[in-house]
Amino acid sequence: MAAAALSKTLGRRLRGSGHRLLPSRPCTSHAVQPPPPPAAAPPSPGAGTEASAWSKLFLFAPGAITFGLGTWQLFRRQEKKEMLDYRTRRLEMEPVPWSETVSTAALRDPAELEFRKVVCEGDFDEEKSVFIGPRSRSISGVTENGYYVITPLKPRPTEPGSLQLPILVNRGWVPRGWREKIIRDHQDFGETLDVKEADEKTDEKGTWWKFWSKKPEVSPEIEKPVKPPVRVIGVIRGSENPSIFVPPNEPMNGQWFYVDIPMIARACGLPENTVYIEDVNEDISATNPYPLPKDVNGLIHHSVMPDDHLKYTFTWYTLSAAVTYMASKRIKPKKMRL
């Protein structure tokens, strides 16, 4: 009550003296408010035009790239035609007899005699044959899997026309059953030799057996007829370049998927720089057609022929025209409808 009376008394005195009471204001926090962020500067007038020009150029980039790829295919086509003509001319030359001069030149630079036919004589070392594959071959429209058989050709010193150093010869294609038969025959031959040696050691234990089992001496003149040396007409080649999908060779397991001359030479006990030729002899026996030598046209043939490059060129140019047309339609201003 006393507070209310005191408030009324003060109010009358202030009105009497002419003073006005100010309205009370709410209490605000004493914390300093952060200043408002500055307004962003307006973009320059030329920035939008420059960005638009670069975006237009970017739309034409795919068309320029595909046009360049099509032109590159034309150059590749011309290079391939020159390469095939070079191979054809060298394969049409007369075969070169294998001599010490040819052997030295082949060892020094195999590319100098590549795709030249050579004639050499010697004896095949069948036990060291290597089978590359599987390789398919189409016979009368039927595809059959098989292998290429590579065999070392050893020199025969007694023959004047024989080669001086052993070489590797790709004798041609054989079916899968032919390979299995050769491997089985070699295994049986080795087992027969082991049994024969064991029997001879057992028989030699008894002295009485030596008298009764004494074999008559055979004159060396009538032992066995000497076989003539093998005559091979082949083409000097290099190692194959396998694709990323071809597995690596496994010499320890006898698995060969592509021709690697140094690796095959090591497996056969030959120097790594051994010359490698592919047999192209066309004199095939009807009774024993395997191994089937490579066809000369097959050596000329390439995985990508000039006609294939022409098809690739048409494809790239067509794609270039399509993407360029779409880019021009994209940047063309649209007409406003009234």
Side-chain angles (χ1 to χ4, degrees):
M1 293 294 290
L6 181 59
S7 175
K8 291 180 180 180
T9 304
L10 290 175
R12 288 194 211 96
R13 289 181 179 181
L14 290 174
R15 285 193 296 272
S17 60
H19 294 283
R20 295 177 60 187
L21 290 176
L22 297 176
S24 60
R25 295 179 180 178
C27 180
T28 59
S29 174
H30 295 284
V32 180
Q33 297 294 329
S44 58
T49 306
E50 183 178 357
S52 176
W54 279 107
S55 62
K56 292 178 181 179
L57 290 176
F58 181 76
L59 290 176
F60 286 97
I65 294 173
T66 50
F67 183 85
L69 291 174
T71 307
W72 175 71
Q73 288 293 334
L74 287 178
F75 285 106
R76 287 290 297 154
R77 178 176 180 269
Q78 184 61 30
E79 293 176 0
K80 196 64 63 65
K81 289 180 65 177
E82 294 175 358
M83 182 191 69
L84 296 179
D85 292 341
Y86 170 78
R87 292 183 178 182
T88 303
R89 289 194 306 269
R90 290 180 69 87
L91 288 172
E92 289 176 351
M93 295 180 181
E94 289 295 325
V96 179
W98 191 270
S99 61
E100 187 174 356
T101 305
V102 176
S103 177
T104 305
L107 291 175
R108 183 177 63 252
D109 186 11
E112 183 179 348
L113 292 173
E114 191 173 14
F115 290 100
R116 279 300 306 272
K117 290 182 181 180
V118 294
V119 181
C120 48
E121 295 181 354
D123 296 312
F124 281 127
D125 191 355
E126 299 277 358
E127 296 181 359
K128 295 182 180 179
S129 295
V130 171
F131 295 88
I132 309 294
R135 299 294 176 92
S136 60
R137 180 176 178 271
S138 180
I139 305 175
S140 300
V142 179
T143 302
E144 184 179 2
N145 287 329
Y147 300 88
Y148 285 133
V149 54
I150 299 177
T151 307
L153 184 67
K154 301 184 300 182
R156 183 181 288 190
T158 58
E159 295 292 334
S162 176
L163 47 84
Q164 290 75 32
L165 296 174
I167 63 174
L168 293 172
V169 180
N170 187 337
R171 299 163 61 191
W173 183 88
V174 295
R176 186 186 297 271
W178 196 90
R179 172 182 180 265
E180 296 173 354
K181 179 180 180 300
I182 290 296
I183 295 176
R184 186 168 57 251
D185 291 344
H186 284 316
Q187 292 176 351
D188 295 342
F189 181 73
E191 293 176 358
T192 304
L193 289 179
D194 294 340
V195 173
K196 188 175 181 180
E197 291 177 359
D199 292 341
E200 289 179 355
K201 291 180 180 179
T202 304
D203 295 341
E204 289 176 357
K205 292 181 181 180
T207 55
W208 62 274
W209 179 258
K210 294 181 181 180
F211 176 77
W212 293 105
S213 63
K214 189 175 181 180
K215 298 179 181 179
E217 295 182 0
V218 181
S219 175
E221 298 180 357
I222 59 174
E223 276 187 351
K224 286 183 180 180
V226 179
K227 292 183 179 180
V230 180
R231 188 171 184 266
V232 177
I233 301 177
V235 177
I236 298 178
R237 298 297 305 275
S239 299
E240 294 180 345
N241 296 321
S243 65
I244 58 175
F245 304 103
V246 178
N249 292 327
E250 299 178 6
M252 301 300 295
N253 299 328
Q255 297 290 332
W256 300 90
F257 301 99
Y258 63 94
V259 178
D260 187 333
I261 298 174
M263 188 179 294
I264 296 175
R266 286 196 304 268
C268 296
L270 302 176
E272 291 188 0
N273 61 344
T274 301
V275 178
Y276 167 73
I277 69 174
E278 294 181 351
D279 190 1
V280 293
N281 191 1
E282 298 178 355
D283 297 335
I284 303 174
S285 174
T287 57
N288 187 19
Y290 300 115
L292 187 63
K294 285 190 173 183
D295 186 13
V296 176
N297 295 327
L299 297 177
I300 300 174
H301 184 81
H302 199 272
S303 58
V304 182
M305 297 297 284
D307 291 343
D308 297 327
H309 286 290
L310 200 59
K311 295 176 183 178
Y312 298 156
T313 301
F314 177 77
T315 302
W316 285 121
Y317 278 166
T318 304
L319 186 60
S320 175
V323 296
T324 303
Y325 174 76
M326 290 188 291
S328 61
K329 293 288 289 184
R330 178 69 178 81
I331 65 176
K332 187 178 181 180
K334 296 180 180 180
K335 294 181 180 180
M336 299 297 294
R337 292 184 180 180
L338 298 177

